[in-house]
């Protein structure tokens, strides 16, 4: 059913009251009333959920890499805060893998790009030149995920 054939209040609800749209959509789906479903926005929402999940994984990976670089290249500034951040973001990645095992494939795809972003962040925070950091990540994907790994 296209947006044009939906009742006007259903077609506009997504834009005017998102929570009400979600609740109504769930009610319609649970009752299998598929004739009054706002399919265009459901499709958009599902696509956005996938993008959001991937974006969150990349952000968490970038943070782990950033703090590993800071840990390695600024040993005199090491702190529990950095270590806690590494642990927290590793846990978030592990949780994401548990919820969506297919993200492991995406993790490998974004690893190098996340490392490049981590260099920028680490350089900005520490004042260390970006050229100081290796062009390719000095840590394996396994080390980045290893709860016991910290570079010397």
């Amino acid at each position: 059913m296209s947006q044009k054939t939906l009742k006007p209040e259903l077609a506009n609800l997504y834009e005017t009251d998102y929570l009400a749209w979600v609740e109504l959509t769930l009610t319609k789906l649970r009752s299998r009333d598929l004739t009054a479903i706002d399919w265009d926005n459901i499709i958009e929402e599902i696509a956005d959920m996938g993008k959001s999940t991937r974006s969150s994984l990349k952000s968490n990976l970038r943070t782990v890499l950033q703090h590993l670089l800071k840990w390695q290249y600024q040993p005199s500034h090491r702190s529990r805060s950095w270590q806690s951040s590494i642990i927290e973001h590793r846990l978030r990645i592990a949780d994401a893998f548990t919820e969506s095992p297919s993200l492991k494939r995406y993790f490998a795809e974004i690893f190098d790009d996340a490392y490049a972003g981590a260099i920028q962040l680490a350089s900005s925070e520490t004042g260390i030149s970006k050229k100081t950091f290796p062009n390719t990540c000095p840590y394996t994907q396994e080390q980045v995920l290893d709860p016991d790994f910290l570079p010397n």
Side-chain angles (χ1 to χ4, degrees):
M1 172 171 275
S2 74
Q3 295 296 99
K4 294 175 183 164
T5 59
L6 284 176
K7 293 181 182 176
E9 63 271 14
L10 293 175
N12 294 326
L13 194 56
Y14 181 81
E15 301 296 331
T16 60
D17 190 340
Y18 179 76
L19 181 59
W21 175 84
V22 168
E23 291 170 347
L24 178 62
T25 300
L26 283 172
T27 299
K28 297 289 184 186
L29 288 169
R30 285 184 178 128
S31 68
R32 307 296 192 258
D33 180 5
L34 305 181
T35 60
I37 297 292
D38 180 2
W39 290 108
D40 292 341
N41 283 318
I42 286 177
I43 291 166
E44 184 176 319
E45 284 297 314
I46 291 172
D48 286 347
M49 286 171 29
K51 289 176 192 173
S52 176
T53 300
R54 289 188 300 273
S55 177
S56 176
L57 176 67
K58 188 173 187 177
S59 176
N60 287 314
L61 173 57
R62 188 182 301 122
T63 300
V64 171
L65 291 167
Q66 169 194 0
H67 283 87
L68 289 174
L69 287 170
K70 289 172 22 180
W71 189 271
Q72 181 173 355
Y73 286 86
Q74 257 192 338
S76 63
H77 291 79
R78 288 178 182 168
S79 67
R80 289 183 189 262
S81 173
W82 288 357
Q83 190 171 13
S84 292
S85 180
I86 292 167
I87 292 167
E88 171 64 25
H89 291 276
R90 280 177 171 157
L91 289 171
R92 290 180 187 186
I93 291 170
D95 289 346
F97 287 167
T98 299
E99 284 183 24
S100 300
S102 64
L103 280 174
K104 291 177 184 176
R105 181 180 65 248
Y106 182 68
F107 179 87
E109 292 172 15
I110 62 166
F111 192 82
D112 292 337
D113 190 50
Y115 176 69
I119 289 173
Q120 290 182 18
L121 292 168
S123 175
S124 173
E125 274 193 34
T126 63
I128 297 172
S129 170
K130 289 186 255 185
K131 294 178 182 178
T132 302
F133 302 111
N135 288 330
T136 58
C137 187
Y139 323 116
T140 66
Q141 293 177 24
E142 293 76 19
Q143 287 172 320
V144 170
L145 297 174
D146 182 346
D148 298 320
F149 172 76
L150 288 171
N152 292 328

